[in-house]
């Protein structure tokens, strides 16, 4: 059997216990972040148990988890806790309750012990049971209560994950074939952007961020450019401007002539500049010039690639330290613009595949009167954040939920 990392007599063990007790205190609003197996579920169970000891009705407590397994684990452990209390001897129960609530065992009289023993039956007899459920189940229950306010079909059904996957794959195949027929060049770019995953990378993005992509609307270009701080020009135009139209060739040639007579570092800089001038490929030229301020890993350099003995006009052009050289400033701004334009163009290409796919998938679900797991969460989010409606829905929820 594996030995515990901390034994009960260490300060770390005591500190962890105190932190758990603080988080389980119903008088506090607590956010808990901890590693797997460190006791987060125990804290939740302790908190619910302490609420029940304070006469909170079981159906006024709501616990939301992400998975069914987690919900079942919580229910199982809570009922085991309450079941143990129901048959525990007085002295043992007093010590158990005292440890949970941070009180003395003698604080619990016969009436308090009787109330604790009765919690198991009280929880079992609660109509609908304890509200420990997944976020999807909570969202579905909320939407069934307020379907018109949420804009969903009354009486909708939850589509199972396996059925949703079949619908998704069918819609995905259709979308890929349609794009291949409509604009094969875009499909090629989308596949190349996905690397080893190919077009599946874009399909996965559409599935995980579908609602965000659809909110961009049909004319997404301006929205994307504004969000990314990208100019209206294409990547090709930005590259041409950066390394052809606005490139001060005379300054570069003068710098090369001086640097070739300097140290090995100066000669290396001269070779980089000369190589950049000699290539006709704008992408290659920009890549070579970017090595002035980025290393082979793409990280920003911490020092100049020329020595302090270089003439002042070299630093005026190519210094990456303060004050920054004017060519470095110009090219770094071009890099920012190009990255923004690349991201915009990639997203617009993906949208040409994703939008028809998402529309087809949504239409198929509508035919079946079904919502998938993502729909449940998205519709619940809209319901709880829409101006005017949210206040009413939250008011109605607050009427039944206290914790």
């Amino acid at each position: 059997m594996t030995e515990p990392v901390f034994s009960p007599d260490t300060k770390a063990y005591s500190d962890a216990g105190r932190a758990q007790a603080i988080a389980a205190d119903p008088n506090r609003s607590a956010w808990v972040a901890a590693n797997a197996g460190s006791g987060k579920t125990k804290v939740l169970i302790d908190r619910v148990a302490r609420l029940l000891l304070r006469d909170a009705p079981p159906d006024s407590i709501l616990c939301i988890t992400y998975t069914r397994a987690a919900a079942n684990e919580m229910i199982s452990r809570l009922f085991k806790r309450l079941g143990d209390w129901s048959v525990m001897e007085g002295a043992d129960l007093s010590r158990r309750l005292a440890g949970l609530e941070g009180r003395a065992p003698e604080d619990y009289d016969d009436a308090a012990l009787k109330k604790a023993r009765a919690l198991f039956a009280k929880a079992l007899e609660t109509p609908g049971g304890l509200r420990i459920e997944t976020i999807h189940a909570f969202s579905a229950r909320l939407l069934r209560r307020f379907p018109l306010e949420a804009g969903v079909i009354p009486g909708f059904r939850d589509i199972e994950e396996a059925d949703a996957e079949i619908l998704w794959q069918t819609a995905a195949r259709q979308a890929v074939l349609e794009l291949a027929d409509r604009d094969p060049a875009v499909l090629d770019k989308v596949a190349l952007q996905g690397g080893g995953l190919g077009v599946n990378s874009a399909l996965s993005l559409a599935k995980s961020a579908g609602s965000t992509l659809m909110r961009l609307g049909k004319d997404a270009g301006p929205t994307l450019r504004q969000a990314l701080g990208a100019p209206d020009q294409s990547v090709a135009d930005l590259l041409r401007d950066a390394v052809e139209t606005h490139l001060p060739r005379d300054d570069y040639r003068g710098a090369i002539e001086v640097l070739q007579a300097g140290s090995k570092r100066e000669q290396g800089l001269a070779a980089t500049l000369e190589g950049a001038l000699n290539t006709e490929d704008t992408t290659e030229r920009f890549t070579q010039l970017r090595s002035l301020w980025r290393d082979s890993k793409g990280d920003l350099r911490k020092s100049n690639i020329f020595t302090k003995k270089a003439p002042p006009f070299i630093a005026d052009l190519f210094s990456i330290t303060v004050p920054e050289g004017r060519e470095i400033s110009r090219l770094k701004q071009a890099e920012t613009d190009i990255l923004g334009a690349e991201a915009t163009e990639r997203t617009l290409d993906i949208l040409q595949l994703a939008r028809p796919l998402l529309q087809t998938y949504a239409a198929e679900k509508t035919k079946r009167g079904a919502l998938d797991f993502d729909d449940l969460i998205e519709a619940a989010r809209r319901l709880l954040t829409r101006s005017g409606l949210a206040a009413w829905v939250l008011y109605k929820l607050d009427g039944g939920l206290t914790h």
Side-chain angles (χ1 to χ4, degrees):
M1 183 175 179
T2 304
E3 290 294 323
V5 177
F6 297 115
S7 61
D9 59 351
T10 63
K11 182 178 182 299
Y13 188 91
S14 300
D15 289 346
R18 279 193 293 272
Q20 288 182 340
I22 290 171
D25 184 352
N27 291 324
R28 295 175 180 266
S29 179
W31 177 280
V32 176
N35 293 332
S38 56
K40 296 188 296 297
T41 302
K42 176 187 179 300
V43 169
L44 290 169
I45 298 302
D46 287 351
R47 192 175 180 96
V48 173
R50 291 179 68 171
L51 286 167
L52 294 173
L53 286 170
R54 297 187 181 192
D55 295 322
D59 60 356
S60 73
I61 304 169
L62 173 64
C63 301
I64 297 179
T65 72
Y66 190 70
T67 66
R68 291 177 184 172
N72 292 335
E73 173 72 7
M74 280 194 66
I75 293 171
S76 176
R77 288 171 64 172
L78 180 58
F79 272 113
K80 184 180 186 307
R81 172 85 60 88
L82 300 181
D84 289 345
W85 288 357
S86 69
V87 295
M88 199 171 286
E89 294 292 336
D92 291 338
L93 182 55
S94 295
R95 284 193 295 271
R96 189 69 62 86
L97 296 178
L100 175 64
E101 296 191 296
R103 298 166 60 186
E106 53 269 22
D107 290 344
Y108 297 90
D109 56 18
D110 289 342
L113 297 178
K114 181 178 179 181
K115 183 173 71 172
R117 291 191 181 103
L119 288 176
F120 182 63
K122 186 176 181 181
L124 283 176
E125 293 166 1
T126 298
L130 289 166
R131 296 189 185 184
I132 300 176
E133 56 193 351
T134 65
I135 189 170
H136 304 104
F138 167 74
S139 298
R141 185 160 56 82
L142 181 66
L143 296 174
R144 286 193 172 91
R145 188 175 175 186
F146 304 101
L148 299 180
E149 293 86 346
V152 299
I153 303 170
F156 70 87
R157 67 182 183 89
D158 308 352
I159 187 171
E160 290 298 323
E161 203 163 358
D163 295 333
E165 183 63 20
I166 292 172
L167 288 182
W168 176 264
Q169 291 298 335
T170 302
R173 282 193 295 271
Q174 179 180 329
V176 170
L177 292 172
E178 287 179 352
L179 184 57
D181 184 56
R182 185 175 71 251
D183 198 333
V186 169
L187 183 60
D188 287 345
K189 287 193 289 182
V190 170
L192 287 172
Q193 290 163 15
L197 294 175
V199 74
N200 286 323
S201 177
L203 296 176
S204 296
L205 174 63
K207 192 172 187 179
S208 62
S211 59
T212 301
L213 292 174
M214 292 303 288
R215 281 200 295 271
L216 288 172
K218 290 184 178 180
D219 188 15
T223 302
L224 286 169
R225 290 189 180 91
Q226 182 178 9
L228 295 167
D232 291 336
Q233 295 164 280
S234 68
V235 172
D237 287 342
L238 289 168
L239 275 171
R240 194 179 306 108
D241 284 350
V243 298
E244 285 187 7
T245 307
H246 301 302
L247 188 74
R249 292 176 179 271
D250 290 342
D251 288 342
Y252 275 56
R253 292 190 182 99
I256 291 169
E257 185 177 346
V258 171
L259 291 166
Q260 285 175 333
S263 66
K264 287 186 176 180
R265 293 186 67 181
E266 271 77 47
Q267 291 172 14
L269 174 56
T272 297
L273 298 178
E274 191 169 28
L277 287 181
N278 289 338
T279 182
E280 296 298 321
D281 187 301
T282 55
T283 301
E284 176 60 24
R285 179 179 294 170
F286 188 80
T287 299
Q288 291 191 36
L289 292 177
R290 190 167 54 185
S291 68
L292 300 177
W293 70 91
R294 292 193 183 277
D295 59 24
S296 58
K297 295 180 180 179
D299 298 327
L300 290 173
R301 295 184 182 276
K302 295 181 180 179
S303 59
N304 292 312
I305 59 173
F306 55 86
T307 66
K308 293 181 180 179
K309 294 181 180 180
F313 86 91
I314 298 297
D316 179 60
L317 284 170
F318 303 117
S319 175
I320 63 171
T321 58
V322 179
E324 194 171 73
R326 50 191 169 89
E327 266 302 277
I328 296 297
S329 295
R330 184 184 71 83
L331 290 169
K332 284 173 72 174
Q333 181 58 53
E335 179 187 46
T336 299
D337 292 342
I338 289 167
L339 289 173
E342 285 178 339
T344 300
E345 290 181 8
R346 284 198 301 269
T347 306
L348 291 174
D349 288 340
I350 290 171
L351 277 172
Q352 290 199 49
L353 173 65
R355 186 177 288 112
L357 163 57
L358 293 167
Q359 289 171 341
T360 300
Y361 180 55
E364 290 300 318
K365 288 183 292 183
T366 300
K367 287 180 186 176
R368 294 160 174 79
L371 300 179
D372 66 14
F373 284 176
D374 291 338
D375 295 331
L376 294 173
I377 294 178
E378 177 64 18
R381 185 195 66 81
R382 288 197 309 267
L383 177 63
L384 295 174
T385 55
R386 284 178 63 185
S387 176
L389 286 176
W392 164 248
V393 173
L394 291 171
Y395 169 76
K396 296 295 287 183
L397 285 179
D398 286 343
L401 293 174
T402 310
H403 308 282

